[in-house]
Amino acid sequence: MWADDHGHEDALLRKAQRALVAAALADEEEALAAVGPDGRRGELPDTRGLMLLLFGACSAMIASLGDGGARPVRVQVLDETGEEVPIDQADPPMRTAVRTLLAEVHGNTDAAADQVEIALANAAPDEVDSVVLAALHWTLRLAAECLDRDLPVPEWVEAVFTD
């Protein structure tokens, strides 16, 4: 059984890497296609795993950037014009993404998983896509910032920048 789990984890990491590469190339359609079929991503178990994997990586990188909590990292939600908006006024997919990230950052993986489950169960396909894209873009931005500062980045994320 463990070998099957390890094989599934490797497949999920490769899927996440393909999606990150496509997102880095600004090909959001290809990034989403790497996650799963259009309109069905929210129904796929791998979508849940991929989002939790990405948000977990983001959390680790935020911890590095924040020097383990010594320097707080601020999470902002911006509207189309670049103005900051309170999280409760953000679009539902962005609220879900931010709440998932904050739960991970605070070490509450169960709450993060709950946020993902709620999004996958209740969100329209385009809203699921928005949460996936937010996780991909944040992962890329945080990794670039960590690499610029010579801070640790999960190996599977760093490979996107070096391969």
Side-chain angles (χ1 to χ4, degrees):
M1 179 75 177
W2 184 83
D4 289 342
D5 288 345
H6 188 66
H8 182 261
E9 183 180 319
D10 287 346
L12 191 60
L13 287 174
R14 286 191 303 276
K15 185 180 277 196
Q17 287 175 318
R18 283 192 305 275
L20 285 168
V21 167
L25 296 172
D27 189 344
E28 290 185 344
E29 285 184 33
E30 184 60 32
L32 291 169
V35 175
D38 187 33
R40 296 222 33 242
R41 284 180 274 278
E43 301 169 19
L44 302 173
D46 277 358
T47 303
R48 176 187 185 277
L50 184 127
M51 288 199 308
L52 291 173
L53 181 68
L54 292 169
F55 284 118
C58 287
S59 175
M61 291 183 285
I62 286 172
S64 291
L65 287 166
D67 195 21
R71 292 178 300 158
V73 175
R74 186 171 178 201
V75 176
Q76 295 176 291
V77 178
L78 307 176
D79 65 15
E80 311 78 46
T81 66
E83 295 294 317
E84 185 175 2
V85 295
I87 185 174
D88 292 330
Q89 293 178 6
D91 292 335
M94 187 55 61
R95 279 196 310 262
T96 297
V98 171
R99 287 179 177 146
T100 304
L101 178 61
L102 291 174
E104 280 287 348
V105 166
H106 292 286
N108 194 340
T109 304
D110 290 340
D114 289 346
Q115 286 294 318
V116 170
E117 286 299 327
I118 290 167
L120 295 179
N122 301 315
D126 63 323
E127 293 175 326
V128 171
D129 291 352
S130 293
V131 176
V132 170
L133 290 170
L136 290 167
H137 291 302
W138 292 347
T139 302
L140 290 169
R141 287 185 194 129
L142 288 165
E145 189 67 29
C146 284
L147 291 169
D148 285 349
R149 296 183 189 192
D150 206 23
L151 294 171
V153 173
E155 287 180 28
W156 64 271
V157 176
E158 187 173 1
V160 170
F161 290 84
T162 59
D163 286 348

